[in-house]
Each structure stands twice: as C-alpha cells, then as structure tokens.
Amino acid sequence: TVEEARLKEAAAMKYFGWSPEEQIIYDHLMGTHGKKAITHIDQISKQTGISASKVYRIRNKLANELRSI
C-alpha cells in the first residue's frame, strides 16, 4: 500500500541515525537486514538480550518517529 511504502521510505531515512539497539529491534520487527520478522516483544527480547520493557519502549519510540514523518 501507499502507507507501507511511505513508512519504509521514512525508516530508510531515519535508520542510520538510530542507536544499534534501535536498529536491531527495527530489523526484527520488520524482517529487514537479514533478520527474521518477529512480532512478539518477548521473542525479540530473548533473541537480542535486551529486556522486554526496553524493547517495548524502543518499539513505541520508533513507531512514533515514523508516524510523525
């Protein structure tokens, strides 16, 4: 859809300005940069070693950033 294309373009512009943790969480959420898409926060936490609460906060931060573009 047009919305998906817009979000992917926005993410591509923002990606390299994100911290490594933000990048890895985005990659797992979206299945980009060779990562398998994972939608459950607990699974991302186990896969990355980042606490579930931090994954949740970062996911929401990234979502808000992309919506604001």
Side-chain angles (χ1 to χ4, degrees):
T1 67
V2 172
E3 181 67 15
E4 283 179 357
R6 188 182 74 75
L7 284 175
K8 285 182 181 180
E9 185 177 328
M13 291 187 304
K14 300 283 264 171
Y15 184 83
F16 293 102
W18 290 335
S19 72
E21 285 181 332
E22 291 167 336
Q23 290 176 349
I24 198 74
I25 290 169
Y26 175 81
D27 290 341
H28 280 292
L29 287 168
M30 302 304 291
T32 55
H33 300 104
K35 303 292 185 210
K36 182 179 176 188
I38 303 172
T39 56
H40 297 290
I41 288 176
D42 289 338
Q43 290 177 320
I44 295 172
S45 176
K46 287 178 188 173
Q47 191 75 17
T48 62
I50 301 169
S51 72
S53 62
K54 191 166 189 177
V55 171
Y56 180 80
R57 284 193 310 270
I58 290 173
R59 182 197 66 178
N60 288 342
K61 176 185 181 268
L62 297 178
N64 287 335
E65 278 186 29
L66 294 176
R67 277 191 216 113
S68 71
I69 292 179

Short mmCIF file of all heavy atoms in Angstrom, two decimals:
data_model
loop_
_atom_site.label_atom_id
_atom_site.label_comp_id
_atom_site.label_asym_id
_atom_site.label_seq_id
_atom_site.Cartn_x
_atom_site.Cartn_y
_atom_site.Cartn_z
N THR A 1 0.83 -1.19 0.00
CA THR A 1 0.00 0.00 0.00
C THR A 1 0.87 1.25 0.00
O THR A 1 2.08 1.18 0.27
CB THR A 1 -0.94 0.03 1.22
OG1 THR A 1 -0.15 0.19 2.39
CG2 THR A 1 -1.82 -1.21 1.31
N VAL A 2 0.25 2.36 -0.24
CA VAL A 2 0.96 3.63 -0.25
C VAL A 2 1.51 3.93 1.15
O VAL A 2 2.64 4.41 1.30
CB VAL A 2 0.03 4.78 -0.73
CG1 VAL A 2 0.69 6.12 -0.55
CG2 VAL A 2 -0.38 4.54 -2.16
N GLU A 3 0.73 3.63 2.17
CA GLU A 3 1.16 3.88 3.55
C GLU A 3 2.39 3.05 3.90
O GLU A 3 3.33 3.55 4.52
CB GLU A 3 0.01 3.56 4.53
CG GLU A 3 0.35 3.82 5.98
CD GLU A 3 0.54 5.29 6.32
OE1 GLU A 3 0.15 6.16 5.54
OE2 GLU A 3 1.11 5.56 7.40
N GLU A 4 2.40 1.78 3.52
CA GLU A 4 3.56 0.93 3.78
C GLU A 4 4.80 1.47 3.08
O GLU A 4 5.89 1.49 3.66
CB GLU A 4 3.30 -0.51 3.31
CG GLU A 4 2.42 -1.30 4.23
CD GLU A 4 2.18 -2.70 3.69
OE1 GLU A 4 2.63 -3.03 2.57
OE2 GLU A 4 1.53 -3.48 4.40
N ALA A 5 4.65 1.88 1.84
CA ALA A 5 5.78 2.42 1.09
C ALA A 5 6.31 3.69 1.75
O ALA A 5 7.53 3.88 1.84
CB ALA A 5 5.35 2.71 -0.35
N ARG A 6 5.41 4.53 2.25
CA ARG A 6 5.82 5.76 2.92
C ARG A 6 6.58 5.46 4.20
O ARG A 6 7.62 6.07 4.49
CB ARG A 6 4.59 6.61 3.23
CG ARG A 6 4.92 8.00 3.76
CD ARG A 6 3.69 8.81 4.09
NE ARG A 6 3.04 8.37 5.30
CZ ARG A 6 3.49 8.63 6.54
NH1 ARG A 6 4.60 9.31 6.71
NH2 ARG A 6 2.83 8.22 7.58
N LEU A 7 6.10 4.47 4.97
CA LEU A 7 6.78 4.11 6.21
C LEU A 7 8.16 3.51 5.94
O LEU A 7 9.12 3.80 6.64
CB LEU A 7 5.93 3.13 7.02
CG LEU A 7 4.74 3.74 7.75
CD1 LEU A 7 3.91 2.66 8.42
CD2 LEU A 7 5.19 4.76 8.77
N LYS A 8 8.26 2.67 4.92
CA LYS A 8 9.56 2.08 4.57
C LYS A 8 10.55 3.15 4.14
O LYS A 8 11.72 3.11 4.51
CB LYS A 8 9.39 1.03 3.47
CG LYS A 8 8.80 -0.25 3.99
CD LYS A 8 8.70 -1.29 2.89
CE LYS A 8 8.06 -2.56 3.43
NZ LYS A 8 7.95 -3.59 2.41
N GLU A 9 10.09 4.12 3.39
CA GLU A 9 10.95 5.21 2.96
C GLU A 9 11.39 6.05 4.15
O GLU A 9 12.57 6.42 4.27
CB GLU A 9 10.23 6.09 1.93
CG GLU A 9 11.11 7.16 1.34
CD GLU A 9 10.38 7.97 0.28
OE1 GLU A 9 9.53 7.42 -0.43
OE2 GLU A 9 10.70 9.17 0.17
N ALA A 10 10.47 6.34 5.05
CA ALA A 10 10.79 7.12 6.24
C ALA A 10 11.81 6.36 7.11
O ALA A 10 12.76 6.96 7.61
CB ALA A 10 9.53 7.40 7.05
N ALA A 11 11.61 5.06 7.27
CA ALA A 11 12.52 4.26 8.07
C ALA A 11 13.91 4.24 7.45
O ALA A 11 14.91 4.32 8.17
CB ALA A 11 11.98 2.85 8.23
N ALA A 12 13.98 4.13 6.15
CA ALA A 12 15.28 4.11 5.47
C ALA A 12 16.03 5.41 5.72
O ALA A 12 17.25 5.41 5.89
CB ALA A 12 15.09 3.88 3.98
N MET A 13 15.32 6.51 5.77
CA MET A 13 15.97 7.81 6.02
C MET A 13 16.44 7.93 7.47
O MET A 13 17.46 8.53 7.74
CB MET A 13 15.00 8.96 5.70
CG MET A 13 14.72 9.10 4.22
SD MET A 13 13.75 10.57 3.79
CE MET A 13 12.28 10.38 4.79
N LYS A 14 15.70 7.36 8.40
CA LYS A 14 16.00 7.50 9.82
C LYS A 14 16.96 6.44 10.35
O LYS A 14 17.65 6.66 11.34
CB LYS A 14 14.70 7.39 10.64
CG LYS A 14 13.66 8.43 10.34
CD LYS A 14 13.96 9.74 10.95
CE LYS A 14 13.27 9.90 12.25
NZ LYS A 14 13.69 11.09 12.97
N TYR A 15 17.01 5.27 9.72
CA TYR A 15 17.67 4.07 10.23
C TYR A 15 19.08 4.33 10.74
O TYR A 15 19.43 3.93 11.86
CB TYR A 15 17.69 2.99 9.15
CG TYR A 15 18.25 1.67 9.60
CD1 TYR A 15 17.44 0.76 10.26
CD2 TYR A 15 19.57 1.34 9.36
CE1 TYR A 15 17.95 -0.46 10.67
CE2 TYR A 15 20.08 0.12 9.77
CZ TYR A 15 19.26 -0.78 10.43
OH TYR A 15 19.76 -1.99 10.84
N PHE A 16 19.92 4.98 9.96
CA PHE A 16 21.33 5.14 10.34
C PHE A 16 21.54 6.19 11.42
O PHE A 16 22.64 6.28 11.98
CB PHE A 16 22.18 5.38 9.11
CG PHE A 16 22.22 4.17 8.22
CD1 PHE A 16 21.45 4.10 7.07
CD2 PHE A 16 22.96 3.06 8.57
CE1 PHE A 16 21.45 2.97 6.27
CE2 PHE A 16 22.98 1.92 7.78
CZ PHE A 16 22.22 1.87 6.64
N GLY A 17 20.51 6.92 11.77
CA GLY A 17 20.58 7.84 12.90
C GLY A 17 20.15 7.20 14.20
O GLY A 17 20.29 7.79 15.27
N TRP A 18 19.62 5.98 14.13
CA TRP A 18 19.18 5.27 15.33
C TRP A 18 20.36 4.59 16.01
O TRP A 18 21.37 4.28 15.39
CB TRP A 18 18.13 4.22 14.98
CG TRP A 18 16.81 4.78 14.56
CD1 TRP A 18 16.28 5.98 14.89
CD2 TRP A 18 15.85 4.13 13.72
NE1 TRP A 18 15.04 6.12 14.31
CE2 TRP A 18 14.74 5.00 13.60
CE3 TRP A 18 15.80 2.91 13.08
CZ2 TRP A 18 13.62 4.68 12.86
CZ3 TRP A 18 14.67 2.58 12.34
CH2 TRP A 18 13.60 3.47 12.24
N SER A 19 20.20 4.32 17.29
CA SER A 19 21.22 3.58 18.05
C SER A 19 21.25 2.13 17.56
O SER A 19 20.28 1.65 16.94
CB SER A 19 20.89 3.60 19.54
OG SER A 19 19.78 2.76 19.81
N PRO A 20 22.33 1.41 17.86
CA PRO A 20 22.37 -0.01 17.48
C PRO A 20 21.20 -0.82 18.03
O PRO A 20 20.67 -1.69 17.35
CB PRO A 20 23.71 -0.49 18.04
CG PRO A 20 24.56 0.74 18.05
CD PRO A 20 23.61 1.87 18.40
N GLU A 21 20.80 -0.54 19.27
CA GLU A 21 19.65 -1.26 19.84
C GLU A 21 18.37 -0.95 19.06
O GLU A 21 17.56 -1.84 18.80
CB GLU A 21 19.45 -0.90 21.31
CG GLU A 21 20.45 -1.53 22.23
CD GLU A 21 20.23 -1.19 23.68
OE1 GLU A 21 19.67 -0.11 23.98
OE2 GLU A 21 20.61 -2.00 24.53
N GLU A 22 18.18 0.32 18.71
CA GLU A 22 17.00 0.70 17.93
C GLU A 22 17.02 0.02 16.57
O GLU A 22 15.99 -0.48 16.10
CB GLU A 22 16.93 2.21 17.78
CG GLU A 22 16.64 2.93 19.08
CD GLU A 22 16.86 4.43 19.02
OE1 GLU A 22 17.64 4.91 18.16
OE2 GLU A 22 16.25 5.13 19.85
N GLN A 23 18.18 -0.03 15.94
CA GLN A 23 18.29 -0.67 14.63
C GLN A 23 17.96 -2.16 14.70
O GLN A 23 17.20 -2.67 13.88
CB GLN A 23 19.71 -0.49 14.07
CG GLN A 23 20.02 0.92 13.66
CD GLN A 23 21.45 1.09 13.20
OE1 GLN A 23 22.29 0.20 13.37
NE2 GLN A 23 21.75 2.25 12.62
N ILE A 24 18.51 -2.86 15.69
CA ILE A 24 18.28 -4.31 15.78
C ILE A 24 16.81 -4.61 16.09
O ILE A 24 16.24 -5.56 15.56
CB ILE A 24 19.24 -4.98 16.79
CG1 ILE A 24 19.31 -6.49 16.55
CG2 ILE A 24 18.87 -4.74 18.21
CD1 ILE A 24 20.07 -6.90 15.35
N ILE A 25 16.19 -3.80 16.91
CA ILE A 25 14.76 -4.01 17.21
C ILE A 25 13.93 -3.73 15.96
O ILE A 25 13.03 -4.51 15.62
CB ILE A 25 14.33 -3.15 18.42
CG1 ILE A 25 14.98 -3.72 19.68
CG2 ILE A 25 12.81 -3.09 18.54
CD1 ILE A 25 14.88 -2.85 20.90
N TYR A 26 14.23 -2.67 15.24
CA TYR A 26 13.53 -2.39 13.99
C TYR A 26 13.71 -3.55 13.01
O TYR A 26 12.74 -4.00 12.38
CB TYR A 26 14.05 -1.09 13.36
CG TYR A 26 13.44 -0.84 12.01
CD1 TYR A 26 12.17 -0.27 11.89
CD2 TYR A 26 14.11 -1.20 10.84
CE1 TYR A 26 11.59 -0.07 10.65
CE2 TYR A 26 13.54 -1.00 9.60
CZ TYR A 26 12.27 -0.44 9.50
OH TYR A 26 11.70 -0.25 8.28
N ASP A 27 14.94 -4.03 12.89
CA ASP A 27 15.21 -5.13 11.96
C ASP A 27 14.38 -6.37 12.30
O ASP A 27 13.84 -7.02 11.41
CB ASP A 27 16.70 -5.50 11.96
CG ASP A 27 17.57 -4.43 11.32
OD1 ASP A 27 17.03 -3.59 10.56
OD2 ASP A 27 18.79 -4.45 11.56
N HIS A 28 14.27 -6.68 13.58
CA HIS A 28 13.47 -7.84 13.98
C HIS A 28 11.98 -7.60 13.78
O HIS A 28 11.24 -8.50 13.38
CB HIS A 28 13.75 -8.23 15.43
CG HIS A 28 15.01 -9.02 15.59
ND1 HIS A 28 15.18 -10.29 15.11
CD2 HIS A 28 16.20 -8.69 16.16
CE1 HIS A 28 16.39 -10.72 15.39
NE2 HIS A 28 17.03 -9.76 16.02
N LEU A 29 11.53 -6.40 14.06
CA LEU A 29 10.10 -6.10 13.87
C LEU A 29 9.70 -6.16 12.40
O LEU A 29 8.62 -6.64 12.06
CB LEU A 29 9.77 -4.71 14.43
CG LEU A 29 9.74 -4.59 15.95
CD1 LEU A 29 9.69 -3.13 16.36
CD2 LEU A 29 8.56 -5.36 16.52
N MET A 30 10.58 -5.67 11.53
CA MET A 30 10.23 -5.55 10.11
C MET A 30 10.81 -6.65 9.23
O MET A 30 10.47 -6.74 8.06
CB MET A 30 10.70 -4.18 9.59
CG MET A 30 10.12 -3.01 10.35
SD MET A 30 8.31 -2.99 10.39
CE MET A 30 7.97 -2.64 8.69
N GLY A 31 11.69 -7.46 9.79
CA GLY A 31 12.30 -8.52 8.98
C GLY A 31 13.27 -7.96 7.95
O GLY A 31 13.34 -8.44 6.82
N THR A 32 14.03 -6.93 8.33
CA THR A 32 14.97 -6.30 7.41
C THR A 32 16.41 -6.64 7.79
O THR A 32 16.66 -7.16 8.89
CB THR A 32 14.80 -4.77 7.40
OG1 THR A 32 14.94 -4.28 8.74
CG2 THR A 32 13.44 -4.37 6.86
N HIS A 33 17.32 -6.35 6.89
CA HIS A 33 18.76 -6.54 7.10
C HIS A 33 19.09 -7.96 7.54
O HIS A 33 19.91 -8.18 8.43
CB HIS A 33 19.32 -5.50 8.07
CG HIS A 33 19.13 -4.10 7.59
ND1 HIS A 33 18.18 -3.25 8.10
CD2 HIS A 33 19.75 -3.41 6.60
CE1 HIS A 33 18.23 -2.10 7.47
NE2 HIS A 33 19.19 -2.17 6.54
N GLY A 34 18.42 -8.93 6.92
CA GLY A 34 18.72 -10.34 7.17
C GLY A 34 18.11 -10.93 8.43
O GLY A 34 18.37 -12.07 8.76
N LYS A 35 17.30 -10.16 9.12
CA LYS A 35 16.66 -10.67 10.35
C LYS A 35 15.28 -11.21 10.02
O LYS A 35 14.57 -10.67 9.19
CB LYS A 35 16.52 -9.56 11.40
CG LYS A 35 17.80 -8.89 11.78
CD LYS A 35 18.70 -9.83 12.53
CE LYS A 35 19.94 -9.09 13.00
NZ LYS A 35 21.09 -9.93 13.09
N LYS A 36 14.91 -12.28 10.71
CA LYS A 36 13.56 -12.83 10.58
C LYS A 36 12.58 -11.92 11.32
O LYS A 36 12.87 -11.44 12.41
CB LYS A 36 13.52 -14.23 11.18
CG LYS A 36 12.19 -14.91 11.06
CD LYS A 36 12.21 -16.29 11.66
CE LYS A 36 10.82 -16.88 11.60
NZ LYS A 36 10.75 -18.14 12.33
N ALA A 37 11.43 -11.66 10.70
CA ALA A 37 10.43 -10.80 11.34
C ALA A 37 9.86 -11.49 12.58
O ALA A 37 9.46 -12.65 12.53
CB ALA A 37 9.30 -10.48 10.36
N ILE A 38 9.89 -10.78 13.68
CA ILE A 38 9.35 -11.26 14.96
C ILE A 38 8.43 -10.17 15.48
O ILE A 38 8.83 -9.02 15.59
CB ILE A 38 10.48 -11.50 15.99
CG1 ILE A 38 11.51 -12.50 15.46
CG2 ILE A 38 9.90 -11.97 17.31
CD1 ILE A 38 12.73 -12.63 16.35
N THR A 39 7.21 -10.53 15.81
CA THR A 39 6.26 -9.52 16.26
C THR A 39 6.08 -9.48 17.78
O THR A 39 5.58 -8.50 18.30
CB THR A 39 4.88 -9.72 15.60
OG1 THR A 39 4.43 -11.04 15.88
CG2 THR A 39 4.97 -9.52 14.09
N HIS A 40 6.47 -10.54 18.46
CA HIS A 40 6.26 -10.59 19.91
C HIS A 40 7.47 -10.01 20.65
O HIS A 40 8.61 -10.42 20.42
CB HIS A 40 5.99 -12.02 20.38
CG HIS A 40 4.74 -12.59 19.80
ND1 HIS A 40 3.49 -12.15 20.16
CD2 HIS A 40 4.54 -13.53 18.86
CE1 HIS A 40 2.58 -12.81 19.47
NE2 HIS A 40 3.20 -13.66 18.68
N ILE A 41 7.20 -9.09 21.53
CA ILE A 41 8.26 -8.41 22.28
C ILE A 41 9.12 -9.40 23.06
O ILE A 41 10.34 -9.28 23.09
CB ILE A 41 7.66 -7.32 23.19
CG1 ILE A 41 7.17 -6.16 22.32
CG2 ILE A 41 8.66 -6.84 24.23
CD1 ILE A 41 6.48 -5.07 23.05
N ASP A 42 8.49 -10.39 23.68
CA ASP A 42 9.25 -11.37 24.46
C ASP A 42 10.24 -12.14 23.58
O ASP A 42 11.36 -12.42 24.01
CB ASP A 42 8.32 -12.34 25.17
CG ASP A 42 7.55 -11.69 26.32
OD1 ASP A 42 8.01 -10.66 26.83
OD2 ASP A 42 6.49 -12.23 26.69
N GLN A 43 9.83 -12.47 22.39
CA GLN A 43 10.73 -13.19 21.47
C GLN A 43 11.89 -12.29 21.04
O GLN A 43 13.03 -12.76 20.95
CB GLN A 43 9.97 -13.68 20.25
CG GLN A 43 9.01 -14.80 20.55
CD GLN A 43 8.23 -15.21 19.32
OE1 GLN A 43 7.80 -14.37 18.54
NE2 GLN A 43 8.03 -16.50 19.16
N ILE A 44 11.61 -11.03 20.75
CA ILE A 44 12.69 -10.10 20.39
C ILE A 44 13.65 -9.95 21.56
O ILE A 44 14.87 -9.95 21.37
CB ILE A 44 12.12 -8.73 19.96
CG1 ILE A 44 11.30 -8.87 18.68
CG2 ILE A 44 13.25 -7.71 19.78
CD1 ILE A 44 10.55 -7.62 18.28
N SER A 45 13.12 -9.87 22.76
CA SER A 45 13.94 -9.75 23.95
C SER A 45 14.88 -10.95 24.09
O SER A 45 16.08 -10.78 24.33
CB SER A 45 13.04 -9.63 25.18
OG SER A 45 13.81 -9.61 26.36
N LYS A 46 14.35 -12.15 23.94
CA LYS A 46 15.18 -13.36 24.04
C LYS A 46 16.23 -13.39 22.94
O LYS A 46 17.38 -13.76 23.18
CB LYS A 46 14.31 -14.60 23.95
CG LYS A 46 13.49 -14.86 25.19
CD LYS A 46 12.62 -16.08 25.02
CE LYS A 46 11.67 -16.22 26.19
NZ LYS A 46 10.70 -17.29 25.98
N GLN A 47 15.85 -13.02 21.73
CA GLN A 47 16.76 -13.06 20.59
C GLN A 47 17.90 -12.06 20.72
O GLN A 47 19.02 -12.34 20.32
CB GLN A 47 15.96 -12.78 19.30
CG GLN A 47 16.70 -13.03 18.03
CD GLN A 47 16.84 -14.51 17.70
OE1 GLN A 47 16.14 -15.35 18.23
NE2 GLN A 47 17.74 -14.82 16.82
N THR A 48 17.61 -10.89 21.29
CA THR A 48 18.60 -9.81 21.32
C THR A 48 19.30 -9.64 22.67
O THR A 48 20.33 -9.00 22.74
CB THR A 48 17.93 -8.46 20.99
OG1 THR A 48 16.93 -8.18 21.98
CG2 THR A 48 17.31 -8.47 19.60
N GLY A 49 18.71 -10.17 23.73
CA GLY A 49 19.27 -9.97 25.06
C GLY A 49 18.91 -8.62 25.65
O GLY A 49 19.44 -8.22 26.69
N ILE A 50 17.99 -7.91 25.01
CA ILE A 50 17.51 -6.61 25.50
C ILE A 50 16.24 -6.88 26.29
O ILE A 50 15.39 -7.66 25.86
CB ILE A 50 17.23 -5.65 24.32
CG1 ILE A 50 18.51 -5.43 23.50
CG2 ILE A 50 16.68 -4.33 24.83
CD1 ILE A 50 18.27 -4.72 22.17
N SER A 51 16.09 -6.26 27.44
CA SER A 51 14.92 -6.51 28.28
C SER A 51 13.62 -6.23 27.52
O SER A 51 13.58 -5.35 26.65
CB SER A 51 14.96 -5.67 29.56
OG SER A 51 14.70 -4.31 29.27
N ALA A 52 12.58 -6.96 27.88
CA ALA A 52 11.29 -6.80 27.21
C ALA A 52 10.76 -5.38 27.38
O ALA A 52 10.20 -4.80 26.45
CB ALA A 52 10.29 -7.81 27.75
N SER A 53 10.96 -4.79 28.57
CA SER A 53 10.46 -3.43 28.78
C SER A 53 11.20 -2.43 27.89
O SER A 53 10.59 -1.50 27.35
CB SER A 53 10.57 -3.02 30.25
OG SER A 53 11.92 -3.02 30.67
N LYS A 54 12.49 -2.64 27.69
CA LYS A 54 13.25 -1.75 26.82
C LYS A 54 12.85 -1.95 25.36
O LYS A 54 12.73 -0.98 24.61
CB LYS A 54 14.75 -1.97 26.99
CG LYS A 54 15.58 -0.90 26.32
CD LYS A 54 17.02 -0.94 26.77
CE LYS A 54 17.75 0.26 26.24
NZ LYS A 54 19.14 0.29 26.70
N VAL A 55 12.63 -3.20 24.95
CA VAL A 55 12.15 -3.47 23.58
C VAL A 55 10.83 -2.75 23.36
O VAL A 55 10.63 -2.10 22.32
CB VAL A 55 12.01 -4.97 23.32
CG1 VAL A 55 11.31 -5.24 21.98
CG2 VAL A 55 13.37 -5.66 23.34
N TYR A 56 9.93 -2.83 24.31
CA TYR A 56 8.62 -2.18 24.23
C TYR A 56 8.77 -0.67 24.06
O TYR A 56 8.15 -0.06 23.20
CB TYR A 56 7.81 -2.52 25.48
CG TYR A 56 6.43 -1.92 25.50
CD1 TYR A 56 5.38 -2.49 24.79
CD2 TYR A 56 6.17 -0.77 26.24
CE1 TYR A 56 4.11 -1.94 24.81
CE2 TYR A 56 4.91 -0.21 26.27
CZ TYR A 56 3.88 -0.80 25.55
OH TYR A 56 2.64 -0.23 25.57
N ARG A 57 9.62 -0.06 24.90
CA ARG A 57 9.83 1.39 24.83
C ARG A 57 10.42 1.81 23.48
O ARG A 57 9.98 2.79 22.87
CB ARG A 57 10.74 1.87 25.96
CG ARG A 57 10.08 1.94 27.31
CD ARG A 57 10.92 2.69 28.34
NE ARG A 57 12.32 2.26 28.42
CZ ARG A 57 12.77 1.30 29.21
NH1 ARG A 57 11.93 0.65 29.99
NH2 ARG A 57 14.06 1.00 29.23
N ILE A 58 11.41 1.05 23.03
CA ILE A 58 12.05 1.38 21.75
C ILE A 58 11.07 1.20 20.60
O ILE A 58 11.01 2.03 19.69
CB ILE A 58 13.34 0.55 21.55
CG1 ILE A 58 14.41 1.03 22.54
CG2 ILE A 58 13.84 0.65 20.11
CD1 ILE A 58 15.67 0.18 22.56
N ARG A 59 10.30 0.11 20.62
CA ARG A 59 9.31 -0.11 19.57
C ARG A 59 8.34 1.07 19.48
O ARG A 59 8.05 1.58 18.40
CB ARG A 59 8.53 -1.40 19.82
CG ARG A 59 7.53 -1.69 18.69
CD ARG A 59 6.50 -2.69 19.09
NE ARG A 59 5.65 -2.14 20.14
CZ ARG A 59 4.63 -2.77 20.67
NH1 ARG A 59 4.33 -3.99 20.27
NH2 ARG A 59 3.91 -2.22 21.60
N ASN A 60 7.87 1.53 20.61
CA ASN A 60 6.93 2.65 20.62
C ASN A 60 7.60 3.94 20.15
O ASN A 60 7.00 4.72 19.41
CB ASN A 60 6.32 2.83 22.00
CG ASN A 60 5.33 1.74 22.33
OD1 ASN A 60 4.84 1.05 21.45
ND2 ASN A 60 5.07 1.55 23.60
N LYS A 61 8.85 4.16 20.55
CA LYS A 61 9.59 5.34 20.12
C LYS A 61 9.75 5.34 18.61
O LYS A 61 9.51 6.36 17.93
CB LYS A 61 10.95 5.37 20.78
CG LYS A 61 11.85 6.51 20.35
CD LYS A 61 13.24 6.39 20.97
CE LYS A 61 14.13 7.52 20.55
NZ LYS A 61 14.90 7.23 19.37
N LEU A 62 10.15 4.21 18.04
CA LEU A 62 10.34 4.11 16.59
C LEU A 62 9.02 4.33 15.86
O LEU A 62 8.97 5.04 14.84
CB LEU A 62 10.94 2.76 16.21
CG LEU A 62 12.34 2.47 16.77
CD1 LEU A 62 12.77 1.06 16.35
CD2 LEU A 62 13.35 3.51 16.34
N ALA A 63 7.96 3.73 16.35
CA ALA A 63 6.65 3.88 15.73
C ALA A 63 6.22 5.35 15.73
O ALA A 63 5.73 5.87 14.71
CB ALA A 63 5.61 3.02 16.43
N ASN A 64 6.42 6.03 16.85
CA ASN A 64 6.05 7.44 16.94
C ASN A 64 6.89 8.30 15.98
O ASN A 64 6.38 9.21 15.34
CB ASN A 64 6.18 7.95 18.37
CG ASN A 64 5.10 7.42 19.25
OD1 ASN A 64 4.01 7.07 18.80
ND2 ASN A 64 5.40 7.32 20.54
N GLU A 65 8.18 7.99 15.89
CA GLU A 65 9.05 8.73 14.99
C GLU A 65 8.58 8.57 13.53
O GLU A 65 8.54 9.53 12.77
CB GLU A 65 10.50 8.24 15.07
CG GLU A 65 11.26 8.81 16.21
CD GLU A 65 12.73 8.41 16.18
OE1 GLU A 65 13.28 8.18 15.08
OE2 GLU A 65 13.32 8.31 17.27
N LEU A 66 8.26 7.34 13.16
CA LEU A 66 7.87 7.09 11.77
C LEU A 66 6.50 7.68 11.46
O LEU A 66 6.27 8.16 10.34
CB LEU A 66 7.90 5.58 11.49
CG LEU A 66 9.30 4.95 11.55
CD1 LEU A 66 9.21 3.46 11.36
CD2 LEU A 66 10.22 5.58 10.51
N ARG A 67 5.61 7.69 12.43
CA ARG A 67 4.29 8.29 12.20
C ARG A 67 4.38 9.80 12.04
O ARG A 67 3.55 10.40 11.36
CB ARG A 67 3.36 7.98 13.38
CG ARG A 67 2.73 6.64 13.28
CD ARG A 67 1.63 6.49 14.32
NE ARG A 67 1.65 5.12 14.79
CZ ARG A 67 1.98 4.72 16.00
NH1 ARG A 67 2.27 5.58 16.94
NH2 ARG A 67 1.98 3.45 16.31
N SER A 68 5.37 10.41 12.68
CA SER A 68 5.47 11.86 12.66
C SER A 68 6.09 12.40 11.37
O SER A 68 6.12 13.61 11.18
CB SER A 68 6.26 12.35 13.87
OG SER A 68 7.63 12.01 13.73
N ILE A 69 6.57 11.54 10.53
CA ILE A 69 7.20 12.00 9.27
C ILE A 69 6.13 12.19 8.21
O ILE A 69 5.23 11.47 8.06
CB ILE A 69 8.26 10.99 8.79
CG1 ILE A 69 9.42 10.99 9.75
CG2 ILE A 69 8.72 11.32 7.39
CD1 ILE A 69 10.52 10.02 9.41
#
